[in-house]
Every structure is written in structure tokens, then in C-alpha cells.
Amino acid sequence: MHTHHPPPLSRMNQIKAGVILNFVIIGLNTITGLLYTPYMMGCLGQNEYGLYSLVASMIAYLTILDSGFGNAVIRYTARFRVEGTQRQQSELIGMAILINIGISLLAIAAGIALYFNIDTLFDRTMTADDLSQARVMMILLIINLAFSFPLGVFTSIITAHEQFIFLKSVNALRIILLTLTIVGLLFFGYKAIAIVAAQTSFNLLVLLTNFFFCRLRLKVTVSFRNFNFPLLREISVYSMWVFLDAIISRIYWSTGQFILGMISGTIAVAVYSAAIMLNQMYQMLSGAISGVLLPRLSKLAATETTGREISDLFIRAGCMQAIIILFVVSGFIVFGQGFIALWAGPDYSATYYVALIFFLSQIPSQLQSTGIAVLQARNRMRFRILVYLGVSSLSIVGQYFLGIHFGPIGVAAAIGTALFIGTGLIINIYYARCQQIDIATFWRKIGHLAIIPILLTAAGLTASQWVDFTRPATFAIGITLFTAIYLPLFWRFALTRAERTSLRSMLPRRR
């Protein structure tokens, strides 16, 4: 079996284009989310929006079943391409499809079990109509899962081949068309069930598009003849740790909604879910760079001996991520309360504090998201998972007890504290001592980059004592002035000449 490689752009151009398109997707997600989410909240009402968010968070637990093998397909396909073992690529793909069909059946069974236990879990906080809608949405999402697992293999193959332009362009188109469809459905009076149906349809369409790209463009073929058990054992160990990492991440970001649904009801879930949506946008910022580096890091891990190149890449990626992340965090600290008031309304004022806790506690992990790709490429996820398992267990206990007394803010505080301990303290020590990453140099560079954001945040908070940023006009003027002052100062005084040159190289060149 042979895999034909088309004559695409160079690998570095694909990576640069992938990063740029990732930022385009982040922009689309941000713009569409910020514009249509308030519209959706208004059309659905706080109760039904909370119900929709709760069901989605429950099904999100099942989506992690594929996370380990999806990363494994990327890592091992990239490795086999370096080694030139085309037969193994075809066998790997066939094996991954068969395994994912099994995972799909497991997810369906788990979804059915949830379906039949909705009454038991939520009858104290939901009406009979709420429970009925939840069942229908769950059926649609289970159908989504059933097809997502086996077809998702082909998305991983496209990533391993570093065909980021196609992959990200399709994703961008999906965001635009899905958003327009949902807005249209809401305009004509449809509710949460119709939204879930639209999401399911577009997801399947994208998966089929990726499948045909692999078959027709990449000429990827699949072999089911030789089930490579030694390779399966190796992949299984790798996948297990990636899978556990996904479980813990899901615990962080979905358990809060589940707990609030049991102890506080759908209104608290709605307030918390609005912050979760903002946090998802925030998390995408770091993924814009690190999300395209796993194939390259896998190749470096297979060939590099000193580890210096990986360490340098870790630092460069972190500094590039800091340019955006520090700007977003500083801006949210100053203008976040005004933004929430204008975006979601006064009923969601607590969302600001929940989101702020998430943003601040994740600064280390956001700046170091490349580290996860490094550990995956080196197959060294074990320590990170064990640390996260420990702090997430404490987090769940804290979420429940703090949630009872302080609602969504208490849940966020428990999650944020656990995250900071895990990613801000323990993991940094591990990177430095066991992965030969120059963490001291990394934080020195970040400290230099942070000077301008800290000074402008202090100035913005001082100005907010006299200016009401909850008014549309002053909010818009404030954001504009903050950006106009921030960007030139950051470019001139925070970035080094090499960093400015690197950023310029990301921009399209004039012909």
C-alpha cells in the first residue's frame, strides 16, 4: 500500500499558514461567539441555555474516548513518514479505524446509560419539560459521536501530513456556515434541539470532507490485513496517558457545570457556562501555535540527541503566545466587567469573576502549551498526568463544597487553584529537571514581555475608577485607546529585534 504525497507548499510555509489560519479561526470563533451567543441566550432564555450547556457538557465527557488514539495517529504517522515505512502507515490507519469503531460503540453505550438516568440525576432541579428536551438533545449528540470516532481518524491523518491550509480552511468555513444556520434557526423560532441538530449535521459534513481529502488528494489507503499487535501495544501505552490527560482536562472544564446542575440549578449553570465559553476562546489562543507543532516535534524527538532544539522551540513558541495572551488578559482585567454587562446582560455579572479566575490561573499553561506537545512527542506524559490526577481530585472536592457556599465563583476558585498548582509550579520543575527545557530563560523572557501589560493594566484600572466602561460609547473608546497605546509600546519596548523579525516573517510577502 502506498501513500502519494502531493506537491504542497513547503513544510514551514504550511506551519506558518496553519498558525495564521488558526488565529483567523480564533477570530471567527470570537466574533461569532460574541455576536450570536447573546442572541442565542435571549432566544433560548437563561433556563434553556443552561439546559443546553449542561447536556453538551455531559456528552463532552464521551468525546475524550478518542483523544488518545487521535494523537497517536498523528505522532506515529509523522514518525513513519520520516522513516519511509508506507506499509506501516496504511496498517496504522486501518488499525485506528477498527479501534475507533470499538470506541464508538462504547461511547454509544455510555450515552444510552446517561439517557436512561437523566431523571435520576436532575429531577430535583429540572422540570418535566427540561428533562424531555435533554433526552432528545442527548440522542442527537450520541448519533454525532457514533460517526465522529471512526471518521475522526482522517482528520488526524491530515494533521500528520501537515496539510494545515486545507484543514483550517474547512474549519473556518464550518464556523461561518454553522453560525449563520443557528442564527437563522433561532430567528424562525427554533430552540436548543434544533441547534444540536445543526451542530451534528455540520460535524458529519466536515468529517466526510476530510475523509475524501485523504482518499482523493493525499491518496491515503487503508490496510485491515495485518493487525500489528506489537505496534498496538506501543500505541496503547502512549494513548493511555494522552487519554488520561483528556479525562482530567474534561474534569476541570465540565464537572463544574455538572455539580452546579445538581446543587444550584440551570441559572447557575448558565452563568458558569458563559465563562466557560469565554475560557474556550482564551484556550484557543495558545493552541494556535502549539496545535501545529506535534508532527514537527515528533520528528525532532525521533532524530535529536541533545534536546536543545526542542527547548529553543518551546521558548520561542511561548514568547509568541505571550504576545497575544498578555494582551487579552490585561484587556479583560480592565474592560471585562463592562464587556460582560454589554454582551450578556446584568444577570451574568458573576461571569466576569469566574472567567477572570480561569484566565489568571491558566497563564502558565497557556504560555507553555507547547510543553504538552513535547511530552507527547517524547512519549513522556506519565508524570504530568499523575500530577494532574492528584490536583484534579482535590479540585472536585473543592468544587462541590465551595459551590454550595459561593456558587459559580466558588467552583471556579477550586478549579483555578488546582490548575495553578499543577501547571504553574509542579510541571515547571519537571520541565526543567527531567525534560531539559530551559525554564529559567523562559520565565526571564516572559517577565520582560509582561512589563508593558502590567503597567497598562494598572493605568486602565485607575482610569476605570472615573470612567463607566459598561456604557457602549466609553467601552468602545476605552478599548480603542488601550489597543492603540498597548501595541506600539509592546512592539517597541517588549519585543527583541529577533522577535520582531520572526513576527514579520509570519506575514505574507509582497510579490
Side-chain angles (χ1 to χ4, degrees):
M1 313 226 54
H2 298 284
T3 302
H4 171 70
H5 305 298
L9 295 174
S10 71
R11 181 176 297 116
M12 283 308 300
N13 283 338
Q14 281 280 352
I15 292 174
K16 288 180 180 180
V19 172
I20 293 170
L21 285 170
N22 266 338
F23 281 117
V24 171
I25 289 170
I26 290 169
L28 285 172
N29 272 317
T30 302
I31 292 169
T32 57
L34 296 182
L35 291 179
Y36 98 82
T37 299
Y39 180 67
M40 180 172 67
M41 289 175 177
C43 291
L44 296 182
Q46 198 171 26
N47 183 70
E48 189 165 351
Y49 177 70
L51 176 65
Y52 162 77
S53 301
L54 178 61
V55 174
S57 71
M58 291 170 65
I59 287 295
Y61 278 103
L62 301 180
T63 64
I64 63 176
L65 291 171
D66 176 52
S67 57
F69 270 95
N71 275 273
V73 170
I74 296 171
R75 180 180 186 264
Y76 285 88
T77 299
R79 195 182 80 178
F80 292 153
R81 292 184 71 216
V82 171
E83 297 170 355
T85 51
Q86 296 175 343
R87 178 181 58 82
Q88 284 185 295
Q89 290 183 55
S90 297
E91 292 176 356
L92 170 66
I93 295 166
M95 184 170 62
I97 291 172
L98 291 176
I99 290 169
N100 276 22
I101 289 173
I103 293 173
S104 177
L105 295 173
L106 187 63
I108 292 170
I112 291 172
L114 279 173
Y115 173 87
F116 284 108
N117 284 280
I118 286 178
D119 286 3
T120 304
L121 292 170
F122 302 111
D123 61 345
R124 290 187 303 168
T125 58
M126 293 188 187
T127 65
D129 184 57
D130 289 341
L131 294 171
S132 177
Q133 289 186 71
R135 290 191 198 95
V136 176
M137 285 188 279
M138 188 157 288
I139 290 172
L140 290 169
L141 290 168
I142 290 170
I143 293 171
N144 193 346
L145 288 176
F147 291 96
S148 294
F149 289 125
L151 290 175
V153 171
F154 296 96
T155 303
S156 299
I157 293 168
I158 296 172
T159 302
H161 282 74
E162 298 177 294
Q163 295 294 306
F164 298 117
I165 294 175
F166 170 81
L167 197 63
K168 305 304 178 182
S169 297
V170 169
N171 195 14
L173 187 61
R174 179 192 66 83
I175 293 167
I176 295 170
L177 294 179
L178 176 59
T179 301
L180 292 174
T181 301
I182 291 175
V183 169
L185 289 171
L186 292 170
F187 179 79
F188 287 107
Y190 293 94
K191 297 293 185 179
I193 292 173
I195 293 174
V196 175
Q199 291 170 334
T200 299
S201 300
F202 274 92
N203 183 55
L204 294 179
L205 184 61
V206 168
L207 289 169
L208 288 172
T209 301
N210 291 342
F211 167 77
F212 285 114
F213 180 82
C214 286
R215 295 297 303 227
L216 302 177
R217 175 65 173 165
L218 298 181
K219 305 298 182 184
V220 168
T221 52
V222 183
S223 172
F224 297 106
R225 294 180 181 178
N226 299 315
F227 202 87
N228 192 331
F229 285 99
L231 177 61
L232 175 62
R233 284 193 295 271
E234 183 180 347
I235 288 176
S236 296
V237 174
Y238 170 85
S239 298
M240 179 186 70
W241 296 111
V242 178
F243 173 65
L244 288 174
D245 181 57
I247 289 177
I248 295 168
S249 178
R250 187 56 57 191
I251 288 171
Y252 280 134
W253 304 119
S254 292
T255 305
Q257 290 155 307
F258 191 83
I259 289 173
L260 288 169
M262 291 191 297
I263 64 177
S264 301
T266 54
I267 291 178
V269 173
V271 169
Y272 184 85
S273 297
I276 288 289
M277 197 201 79
L278 295 176
N279 186 60
Q280 288 170 344
M281 296 178 186
Y282 177 65
Q283 289 176 328
M284 285 189 293
L285 295 173
S286 61
I289 296 176
S290 62
V292 301
L293 292 180
L294 180 56
R296 183 180 176 189
L297 287 166
S298 296
K299 295 171 185 175
L300 285 176
T303 58
E304 195 186 24
T305 56
T306 64
R308 184 71 239 176
E309 191 171 353
I310 287 179
S311 179
D312 290 344
L313 182 59
F314 177 97
I315 294 171
R316 289 199 307 273
C319 290
M320 293 298 103
Q321 288 161 337
I323 294 170
I324 301 295
I325 290 167
L326 294 178
F327 172 66
V328 169
V329 172
S330 59
F332 188 79
I333 291 171
V334 177
F335 301 104
Q337 286 180 297
F339 166 75
I340 297 295
L342 294 169
W343 173 63
D347 291 339
Y348 289 83
S349 59
T351 295
Y352 169 75
Y353 300 100
V354 175
L356 185 59
I357 291 170
F358 289 156
F359 287 12
L360 294 174
S361 64
Q362 288 181 96
I363 286 176
S365 60
Q366 286 289 93
L367 299 180
Q368 297 177 349
S369 60
T370 303
I372 298 174
V374 170
L375 297 179
Q376 289 173 351
R378 288 174 168 171
N379 199 5
R380 295 291 186 271
M381 291 288 288
R382 180 179 177 181
F383 179 81
R384 182 180 186 274
I385 301 309
L386 293 176
V387 169
Y388 275 27
L389 189 60
V391 296
S392 66
S393 300
L394 296 174
S395 169
I396 293 175
V397 177
Q399 286 178 57
Y400 182 79
F401 288 104
L402 291 178
I404 290 174
H405 295 289
F406 303 104
I409 294 175
V411 170
I415 292 174
T417 301
L419 279 170
F420 187 77
I421 292 172
T423 62
L425 301 176
I426 301 173
I427 294 300
N428 270 254
I429 296 171
Y430 177 72
Y431 284 154
R433 294 187 177 180
C434 302
Q435 294 301 317
Q436 295 78 50
I437 294 174
D438 191 351
I439 291 296
T441 297
F442 174 87
W443 283 115
R444 279 198 299 271
K445 288 181 176 291
I446 296 301
H448 178 72
L449 292 174
I451 294 173
I452 295 297
I454 289 172
L455 292 175
L456 287 180
T457 299
L461 288 175
T462 302
S464 68
Q465 302 300 310
W466 291 279
V467 181
D468 182 9
F469 289 125
T470 62
R471 296 168 57 192
T474 53
F475 177 81
I477 293 170
I479 286 283
T480 302
L481 287 175
F482 185 85
T483 304
I485 296 170
Y486 182 105
L487 294 180
L489 288 178
F490 194 92
W491 180 268
R492 177 63 183 87
F493 297 106
L495 298 179
T496 64
R497 182 177 299 176
E499 288 164 345
R500 290 195 291 268
T501 301
S502 179
L503 280 175
R504 289 192 187 100
S505 72
M506 300 287 290
L507 300 175
R509 295 181 180 178
R510 294 180 180 176
R511 295 185 181 274

